[in-house]
Amino acid sequence: MTNAFLSLHFDALVIDGHCDSIGDQLERKRWLGDRSNDGHVDLPRLREGGIDVQFFACYVPTPYQRHGATTHALERLDQLHLLAERLPDQFVLARTTDDILRAKAAGKVAGIAGLEGAEALDASIGVLRQFHRLGLRNLGLAWNHRNAACDGVAESRTNGGLTEFGVKVVEECNQLGILLDVSHLSSAGLTDVLAVSQQPIIASHSNARALCDHPRNLTDAQMAAIAAKGGVIGVTFVDSFLNRANPQDASLDDIIANIEYMLGVVGPEHVALGSDFDGWTMAREIKDASCYPLITQKLVERGHDAKVIRLILGENLFRVMRTVLG
């Protein structure tokens, strides 16, 4: 890797649209302020990888989704607040895009708090507003299964989309300034969100169905519809979303292939990155967050213009965030 690749990468605004790492801090007691050989993400490795902004999902594990979901999500959100409170010189929980720019200028990592699944809302718009007051800025409406707002991708047989409560959630997120994330959502639900939302949406960690026929990946038509509303799709590094038949063979080249395929389908303004670090196993070259510059290196080697690379690394997602969050 030459200095030119590194210069481009570390000068760019780099945003990763999804990780589950805060669960490691809560449940495995792996403090993300310290460098570890376990997992994928901690603050030292985010800085080594040049990641300026990391989306952290407050995922509610399946056993808690019907009982105690709100409490569990709040416990994960508390862990993000602890990180910001105890390491204010290294980490900030961003509520606006200006917070992100200030963090970048100061050499800090900015975190975006999200929910992965609407179970934690307990079918209450008031609870959604409370989460927003606590810093929630991204809502993944589903995690595979059915909840009070919608059906996840694992329930697609029903052809169920947004419920009446789900419509209210989308409308309230538009009003509050919360990003709507349709990764894990059923096909009907994605269509509903696009119809209801007055703001651009994201699919934070989903790949191209045409390259890997996995139900969590998106069709060309779905990607085009997200792009038509001004949204972005985050290419994910999850091995089984890159190579369903032989996940162990998934590679950096597969990640690049998905980026390039999406560039052809939706254009350079609608492609982003969403690793799903600490949520699953990754393509074999991506050992952890410190490996992010490998993506920039490969894109440069493939002849992509620096302006396009900057869009993919973070500027596209930042544009949507600027529209929604302010």
Side-chain angles (χ1 to χ4, degrees):
M1 193 180 307
T2 69
N3 288 335
F5 300 139
L6 291 173
S7 177
L8 170 60
H9 183 83
F10 284 94
D11 182 66
L13 178 64
V14 180
I15 304 176
D16 185 292
H18 189 85
C19 81
D20 289 292
S21 308
I22 203 63
D24 277 17
Q25 183 166 294
L26 175 64
E27 294 160 3
R28 298 180 179 87
K29 309 306 178 186
R30 183 170 69 82
W31 177 242
L32 299 187
D34 297 330
R35 198 186 198 289
S36 173
N37 292 322
D38 296 326
H40 297 131
V41 165
D42 48 53
L43 294 184
R45 284 184 286 179
L46 287 173
R47 288 194 295 272
E48 289 170 25
I51 300 171
D52 301 299
V53 184
Q54 179 65 62
F55 279 57
F56 289 91
C58 295
Y59 164 70
V60 177
T62 304
Y64 301 99
Q65 287 178 3
R66 295 190 182 277
H67 302 283
T70 305
T71 298
H72 193 86
L74 284 170
E75 288 177 340
R76 291 200 177 199
L77 184 55
D78 171 61
Q79 293 296 313
L80 271 182
H81 280 275
L82 287 177
L83 202 62
E85 290 162 4
R86 294 178 182 177
L87 297 172
D89 59 329
Q90 300 180 45
F91 180 77
V92 60
L93 187 58
R95 296 169 183 260
T96 68
T97 48
D98 284 344
D99 290 342
I100 289 171
L101 295 177
R102 284 191 291 266
K104 169 78 169 172
K108 301 178 184 181
V109 174
I112 298 293
L115 288 178
E116 188 171 20
E119 290 85 0
L121 302 182
D122 201 20
S124 168
I125 295 297
V127 171
L128 173 62
R129 287 194 289 264
Q130 285 291 70
F131 271 110
H132 179 262
R133 292 180 184 114
L134 292 171
L136 183 77
R137 294 298 182 269
N138 182 52
L139 175 60
L141 288 157
W143 184 83
N144 289 350
H145 304 305
R146 174 174 294 168
N147 59 51
C150 59
D151 278 2
V153 68
E155 303 287 350
S156 292
R157 189 189 66 81
T158 66
N159 294 313
L162 291 179
T163 63
E164 290 300 319
F165 173 68
V167 171
K168 293 176 182 177
V169 168
V170 170
E171 292 172 341
E172 189 68 19
C173 284
N174 282 178
Q175 291 296 316
L176 293 171
I178 297 175
L179 284 166
L180 290 161
D181 183 355
V182 296
S183 284
H184 287 284
L185 193 57
S186 69
S187 179
L190 194 161
T191 299
D192 283 351
V193 173
L194 286 168
V196 174
S197 179
Q198 300 301 304
Q199 301 279 16
I201 67 171
I202 66 171
S204 65
H205 56 304
S206 297
N207 287 339
R209 184 82 64 89
L211 298 186
C212 179
D213 189 13
H214 192 288
R216 273 278 288 102
N217 290 339
L218 299 175
T219 66
D220 289 8
Q222 289 171 327
M223 291 189 289
I226 292 170
K229 293 270 295 196
V232 298
I233 303 101
V235 172
T236 187
F237 313 159
V238 172
D239 54 7
S240 56
F241 299 171
L242 295 165
N243 186 334
R244 191 179 187 185
N246 298 291
Q248 69 278 2
D249 294 331
S251 69
L252 176 61
D253 285 338
D254 293 317
I255 296 172
I256 301 302
N258 272 270
I259 291 172
E260 292 180 335
Y261 184 84
M262 290 187 192
L263 288 173
V265 174
V266 298
E269 294 83 11
H270 304 285
V271 183
L273 300 172
S275 63
D276 203 6
F277 282 142
D278 291 312
W280 202 250
T281 48
M282 303 284 106
R284 56 176 181 262
E285 296 92 339
I286 308 297
K287 306 300 183 186
D288 56 31
S290 70
C291 297
Y292 240 78
L294 295 174
I295 297 169
T296 302
Q297 178 188 15
K298 186 68 73 169
L299 289 171
V300 170
E301 289 174 352
R302 296 278 295 174
H304 293 282
D305 185 83
K307 291 182 179 179
V308 172
I309 295 173
R310 287 175 182 270
L311 290 174
I312 295 165
L313 289 176
E315 289 181 5
N316 285 335
L317 192 46
F318 185 81
R319 181 192 71 246
V320 176
M321 295 169 73
R322 180 68 98 180
T323 300
V324 177
L325 274 59

